[in-house]
Amino acid sequence: MQGFPWENHSSVSEFILLGFSRDFQVNIILFNIFLFLYLSTLVGNGLIVTLIHLDSRLHTPMYFFLSVLSILDMSYVTTTVPQMLVHLVCQKKTISYSGCVAQMYIFLVLGITEGWLFSVMAYDRYVAICHPLRYKVIMRPWLCGAMVVFCGLWGISCSLVYTVFTMRLPYCGSNEINHFFCEVPAVLKLACADTSLNDRVDFILGFILLLVPLSFILASYVCIFATILRIRSAQGRLKAFSTCASHITVVTMFCGPAMFMYMNPGANASPERDKKLALFYNVISAFLNPIIYSLRNKDVKRAFFKVTGWGGATE
């Protein structure tokens, strides 16, 4: 049976994902925690997508990007968490070689797309606050769609480079991955070859995929804060800043841990630290995003009350 073209270079047909603990009682506790987080993530992000679709007042570029972010978050956690939940309660913790490649690639596509989407969302806030009179002219629907497509294509192409450079190496020794899913740094530790080239490629890609969008975000917010400081009323400044606070929080939670993970040389990586970092930008951030974006957002609350009929849907 034909598999992936790089499978011939490896004698490993499947990997064992060690996960978090070998203690069954600990795994049961973790299963319940992660099941709650996973279901809450699906419900929270699914609710945001539904509200934005149903309420015409939320048919704006900002909420369009937020709905795309919610879809990415639901897909992101679904790539890793269901398998992790199964492995927490089952004795068999294996994943096939091709399954590992597919999981690695899909995870990277979604993560890279989300990272660049944050820079697009920052640009949207920049136009809204710094050029409010031209906002509708600049942020036209076709441009919003084109920017999301660009993020997706960038994720698809760069993820292919990451995955090919990782899986082209021979894997002929241990097949135990000290992680809860097939992530590049954890898989590279099993390679039967020098990974220094991979470390350099990972650093360069990490620079392009993390620091470049972060630079765009930083530049946008420098302009935004300069504009906010020129607003005379304290209430106006607070309102302008509050529209950006949620985005800044989410970007920090996602990009900070991802930078530590992908821009550190493989030799300096700690498996336990890497698992915690991956949990933060994969599971925790996706769980918190709908909470962060909805708790202080009057438009989302109003849409929720309108759709459900609770609270009278007052203006």
Side-chain angles (χ1 to χ4, degrees):
M1 183 175 65
Q2 277 302 110
F4 289 93
W6 47 77
E7 280 190 8
N8 295 331
H9 300 289
S10 175
S11 61
V12 173
S13 61
E14 65 179 15
F15 293 102
I16 299 171
L17 294 167
L18 297 182
F20 298 97
S21 174
R22 296 182 185 272
D23 187 307
F24 184 73
Q25 295 300 323
V26 172
N27 284 340
I28 290 298
I29 294 171
L30 291 175
F31 173 86
N32 287 299
I33 292 172
F34 291 133
L35 179 62
F36 168 76
L37 291 174
Y38 178 59
L39 294 178
S40 299
T41 299
L42 295 184
V43 171
N45 285 286
L47 183 60
I48 283 183
V49 173
T50 303
L51 292 176
I52 292 171
H53 175 73
L54 293 178
D55 193 329
S56 59
R57 286 175 295 187
L58 300 183
H59 293 176
T60 64
M62 183 179 86
Y63 290 108
F64 168 68
F65 295 133
L66 180 56
S67 67
V68 174
L69 177 65
S70 292
I71 292 169
L72 285 173
D73 280 339
M74 288 189 288
S75 306
Y76 203 41
V77 294
T78 300
T79 305
T80 59
V81 175
Q83 175 193 258
M84 177 180 68
L85 292 173
V86 172
H87 287 177
L88 284 170
V89 294
C90 293
Q91 292 295 321
K92 189 177 181 182
K93 304 178 188 295
T94 59
I95 181 171
S96 68
Y97 187 95
S98 57
C100 185
V101 174
Q103 184 183 58
M104 180 187 296
Y105 179 70
I106 295 170
F107 178 83
L108 286 168
V109 169
L110 295 170
I112 292 169
T113 302
E114 183 162 328
W116 278 83
L117 181 66
F118 286 135
S119 65
V120 170
M121 295 172 78
Y123 176 72
D124 172 71
R125 292 299 82 210
Y126 160 75
V127 177
I129 293 173
C130 299
H131 305 283
L133 299 180
R134 299 177 58 203
Y135 180 70
K136 289 185 178 180
V137 175
I138 296 173
M139 299 302 292
R140 293 181 179 179
W142 70 265
L143 179 62
C144 296
M147 288 192 289
V148 169
V149 170
F150 166 79
C151 294
L153 292 176
W154 194 238
I156 289 169
S157 55
C158 292
S159 298
L160 190 60
V161 176
Y162 258 123
T163 306
V164 169
F165 265 84
T166 300
M167 303 314 289
R168 71 181 177 83
L169 297 172
Y171 294 89
C172 49
S174 171
N175 67 337
E176 292 187 344
I177 300 175
N178 193 2
H179 211 318
F180 61 92
F181 71 100
C182 288
E183 191 165 27
V184 170
V187 174
L188 280 176
K189 292 179 184 295
L190 305 184
C192 307
D194 179 27
T195 61
S196 57
L197 175 61
N198 290 77
D199 290 339
R200 288 194 292 271
V201 170
D202 290 353
F203 181 84
I204 293 168
L205 282 177
F207 180 86
I208 295 170
L209 301 174
L210 290 169
L211 291 185
V212 171
L214 277 176
S215 299
F216 290 155
I217 293 169
L218 182 61
S220 297
Y221 277 107
V222 167
C223 297
I224 287 170
F225 291 144
T227 301
I228 289 174
L229 291 175
R230 288 198 295 267
I231 298 175
R232 293 184 178 181
S233 71
Q235 186 178 1
R237 286 196 299 269
L238 183 62
K239 183 178 179 181
F241 179 76
S242 67
T243 63
C244 304
S246 299
H247 183 249
I248 294 171
T249 304
V250 170
V251 168
T252 303
M253 287 194 312
F254 181 86
C255 293
M259 285 177 63
F260 277 108
M261 176 73 85
Y262 284 92
M263 296 191 70
N264 266 338
N268 298 333
S270 160
E272 297 309 313
R273 184 208 65 184
D274 286 354
K275 281 185 270 191
K276 293 182 179 71
L277 288 172
L279 268 180
F280 207 86
Y281 61 73
N282 178 217
V283 181
I284 305 299
S285 114
F287 166 72
L288 291 177
N289 281 358
I291 299 173
I292 293 169
Y293 275 109
S294 61
L295 280 182
R296 298 180 61 187
N297 191 309
K298 293 180 180 179
D299 293 333
V300 173
K301 288 180 183 178
R302 186 165 51 229
F304 176 76
F305 291 136
K306 176 184 175 183
V307 170
T308 60
W310 298 350
T314 56
E315 290 293 326

